[in-house]
């Protein structure tokens, strides 16, 4: 795998805080050979997400947690590797 390959986590990634343990795991994931994409679930730290400015990426808005950990935002259409998909989650409203 390369950084051009994507692993997608479908909800509850665990972006919770800036503790030493959480920073360790974000660094560990960033050093992997792939890029991690994730969609939020019920158990994210929405206050932390609010502080990250969204940018355009592959047709939709995203938030970069690290250069290779990317949060896919709700209500967006993405085109990744010729596959187009829409991310919609029917839970509570996002707080970002």
């Amino acid at each position: 795998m390369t950084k051009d390959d994507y692993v997608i986590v479908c909800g509850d990634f665990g972006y919770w805080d800036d503790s030493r343990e959480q920073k360790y795991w974000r660094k560990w994931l960033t050093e992997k050979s792939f890029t991690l994409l994730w969609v939020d679930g019920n158990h994210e730290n929405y206050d932390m997400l609010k502080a990250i400015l969204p940018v355009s990426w592959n047709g939709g808005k995203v938030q970069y947690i690290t250069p290779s950990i990317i949060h896919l935002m709700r209500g967006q259409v993405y085109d990744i590797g010729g596959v187009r998909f829409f991310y919609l989650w029917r839970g509570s409203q996002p707080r970002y």
Side-chain angles (χ1 to χ4, degrees), residues 2-94:
T2 71
K3 288 293 186 182
D4 292 327
D5 294 310
Y6 302 105
V7 172
I8 302 175
V9 176
C10 296
D12 294 338
F13 169 67
Y15 185 56
W16 299 317
D17 57 40
D18 262 340
S19 68
R20 184 176 174 183
E21 179 183 7
Q22 292 293 310
K23 288 178 182 180
Y24 169 85
W25 288 114
R26 286 194 292 268
K27 181 178 184 291
W28 183 83
L29 283 168
T30 298
E31 293 171 350
K32 296 298 174 198
S33 60
F34 54 84
T35 297
L36 185 117
L37 307 177
W38 64 284
V39 298
D40 54 89
N42 291 328
H43 303 102
E44 313 301 347
N45 187 328
Y46 289 99
D47 290 333
M48 285 180 69
L49 284 173
K50 257 192 253 183
I52 301 171
L53 292 176
V55 296
S56 294
W57 181 84
N58 286 20
K61 296 287 185 184
V62 300
Q63 293 167 299
Y64 280 89
I65 308 306
T66 73
S68 59
I69 301 176
I70 303 170
H71 173 233
L72 303 176
M73 297 180 74
R74 297 178 188 191
Q76 303 294 304
V77 176
Y78 299 97
D79 186 338
I80 300 174
V83 176
R84 188 173 223 185
F85 65 94
F86 172 63
Y87 167 43
L88 175 67
W89 188 76
R90 290 186 48 193
S92 61
Q93 293 295 318

